[in-house]
Amino acid sequence: MNDRGAFITIEGIDGAGKTTCMSMVAECIVAAGIGLVQTREPGGTPLGEDLRTLLLGHRDEGMFSDAELLLMFAARAEHLAVRILPALDVGDWVLCDRFTDSTYAYQGAGRGVSEARIAALESWVQGDLCPNLTLLMDLPVTLGLERAGKRSAPDRFEHDAQAFFERVREGYLRIAREQPQRVRVVNAARPLDEVRAEITHLIDDFIEIRRHGAA
Ligand code: Z5A
């Protein structure tokens, strides 16, 4: 087993089943006897959760896209310093509901912020830290919004138009095409038992690879 913990992230559009997937992944890791920290973005620390409330709350005046971008990275800087890096350093694994791929997909592809601007902040805040594995829960936008709508009242992002979420989905799929070794696309439109079977297989394989020191 590698000494440093592994960093796994779950991504996808709203209602894609990330929360559902988190518990499936966690079960596999815990069953393998590995220490696990489960967290989310934006959030994961007291300051990060306060920023999450600011970011997701409804605002009549909206939010300037650069302000939104900077608040996401402010929350991420705190999250890395206080929670993620200390856990990885002692060999625990970290499972995070959303990370920087969300920024490229939502602020970049969705809102039109330039990739170069996001990359500059990514490099400043993260250095060379990157998830070891990302599961992209992919499904048609209409199905994701239908599922998200059943679960809770729409947040500030979910009020946005379907076209926005189509751009976000395509942004994610582009990252997956560019980084196929890190990003595994899971067809989240299927019934839960099929999704669970694929996720269990992917995570069990990943654990085996880490145990043999190849990932
Ligand atoms: N954001 C950003 O813009 N930039 C950033 O850098 C970051 C975030 C980090 C926080 O989202 C918002 O922040 C997000 C992007 C932005 N935009 N929004 N909204 P969040 O992650 O807290 O919220 P969310 O995307 O809406 O996720 P969610 O509410 O947690 O949904 P989910 O986790 O993807 O889905 P779920 O709760 O697991 O499932 C939804 C329902 O579908 C639920 O009833 C399930 O039982 C059901 N479900 C799930 N899978 C299935 C299958 N396979 N079949 C049938 N039913 C299913």
Side-chain angles (χ1 to χ4, degrees):
M1 178 81 74
N2 290 335
D3 291 333
R4 197 156 199 251
F7 184 28
I8 301 176
T9 57
I10 315 284
E11 295 282 358
I13 60 167
D14 299 45
K18 296 177 301 300
T19 309
T20 312
C21 173
M22 286 279 289
S23 60
M24 296 173 184
V25 173
E27 269 174 38
C28 299
I29 295 171
V30 170
I34 298 165
L36 179 66
V37 171
Q38 291 187 64
T39 186
R40 68 173 180 180
E41 289 211 348
T45 65
L47 174 64
E49 292 295 326
D50 285 351
L51 292 171
R52 178 186 180 90
T53 303
L54 274 177
L55 279 159
L56 301 193
H58 294 282
R59 311 183 71 82
D60 290 342
E61 75 281 18
M63 191 180 287
F64 180 54
S65 57
D66 280 351
E68 184 178 272
L69 175 69
L70 289 163
L71 286 174
M72 290 293 176
F73 271 104
R76 187 161 298 138
E78 178 82 0
H79 198 195
L80 283 162
V82 171
R83 201 117 188 255
I84 296 176
L85 292 174
L88 295 175
D89 285 345
V90 297
D92 285 342
W93 287 26
V94 175
L95 175 59
C96 192
D97 188 340
R98 298 191 179 280
F99 195 62
T100 304
D101 292 323
S102 283
T103 315
Y104 281 103
Y106 282 78
Q107 281 65 53
R111 301 243 193 267
V113 173
S114 83
E115 266 192 32
R117 190 165 284 198
I118 299 172
L121 287 168
E122 179 183 29
S123 162
W124 178 23
V125 169
Q126 289 169 227
D128 59 5
L129 182 89
C130 181
N132 300 98
L133 175 69
T134 296
L135 301 184
L136 172 55
M137 307 300 289
D138 179 61
L139 81 183
V141 169
T142 43
L143 183 54
L145 292 180
E146 189 186 307
R147 286 184 187 168
K150 276 188 199 150
R151 191 209 52 228
S152 60
D155 61 29
R156 192 171 61 85
F157 286 82
E158 288 163 351
H159 271 297
D160 286 332
Q162 168 142 357
F164 170 80
F165 287 104
E166 296 288 0
R167 294 196 297 277
V168 172
R169 182 185 185 200
E170 183 45 43
Y172 273 131
L173 290 171
R174 187 155 69 87
I175 296 170
R177 285 193 296 274
E178 288 169 357
Q179 301 179 56
Q181 286 188 313
R182 171 175 70 86
V183 183
R184 302 299 159 91
V185 181
V186 175
N187 176 357
R190 292 170 302 165
L192 269 178
D193 55 346
E194 288 181 31
V195 172
R196 174 183 290 278
E198 182 174 356
I199 287 174
T200 303
H201 180 70
L202 280 168
I203 297 301
D204 285 349
D205 270 3
F206 180 75
I207 290 169
E208 272 315 296
I209 291 167
R210 293 286 297 191
R211 286 202 156 126
H212 292 99

